Amino acid sequence: MIRRAKALALLAPTMVLAGCVSLGSEPPASLLNLTPSQSAPAGSSASASRDEALAIYEPEVPAKIDVLRVPVQVSSTEIAYLKDAVWVEKPARLFRRLLAETVRVRTNRLVLDADDPGLSAQSRLRGVLREFGYDSSTSSVIVRYDAIRRGTDGTMETQRFEAVEQGVVAKAGPVGVALNQAANDVAAQVADWLGE
């Protein structure tokens, strides 16, 4: 009897702690991702000098986008996050990869989209991903990207690109598909601008 009491006394803190600690919440049913509408085929290659290569950097984003959730513009001063809509990775990284693949395919340029400091290119593309979410007042998704390119001679040029997909139901699946379409649209616009 005394042994049992001692064993229970030793287990009691563990049992109390188990009730307080959560090892994670229920995972989402699925995760959202961005996929390019055009991809370079397997085995394709490119080579270029530093002057001909293009480095694409991860875009800056406002705090509302720098999360794994999809922001919803509720009013001019309020945002919320769409229920069950969770990105596999932060949107800035996903968008950079999609943009790099689209530019690679549409311009046939050597595109560097890694953060390796050993890789360098004279031409650079930076930018700010200003909007990447859902607008509840118009039932639409908006992707807005301000691109900044630096040429090999050091000149700077900027342009704003935007795509809107309207009539989107405020659910994770339809919003994810619409954001993917809008992101591909913006990436194609940027690629055409870079190819001029």
Side-chain angles (χ1 to χ4, degrees), residues 73-172:
Q73 195 71 42
V74 177
S75 71
S76 60
T77 58
E78 292 178 286
I79 65 160
Y81 288 97
L82 190 63
K83 183 182 177 188
D84 299 326
V86 182
W87 291 108
V88 70
E89 195 172 3
K90 287 189 178 180
R93 285 181 176 249
L94 294 172
F95 183 73
R96 175 178 71 173
R97 277 198 289 278
L98 182 140
L99 179 59
E101 186 66 13
T102 304
V103 170
R104 186 177 291 118
V105 170
R106 291 177 73 104
T107 66
N108 293 316
R109 291 181 77 170
L110 174 63
V111 176
L112 307 175
D113 64 338
D115 291 326
D116 186 346
L119 300 174
S120 62
Q122 293 297 324
S123 295
R124 297 177 185 159
L125 180 70
R126 298 180 187 274
V128 181
L129 190 58
R130 298 203 179 276
E131 293 293 336
F132 199 83
Y134 185 78
D135 187 334
S136 62
S137 66
T138 60
S139 297
S140 60
V141 301
I142 302 167
V143 174
R144 183 177 301 131
Y145 176 64
D146 288 344
I148 306 162
R149 71 174 167 188
R150 190 190 95 178
T152 55
D153 61 355
T155 58
M156 306 286 277
E157 188 177 356
T158 184
Q159 187 164 324
R160 174 167 286 181
F161 300 93
E162 182 176 285
V164 178
E165 296 284 329
Q166 298 182 326
V168 181
V169 179
K171 292 187 176 179

Side-chain angles (χ1 to χ4, degrees), residues 30 51 61 80 96 106 141 167 189:
S30 63
D51 288 346
V61 292
R96 175 178 71 173
R106 291 177 73 104
V141 301
Q189 293 175 45

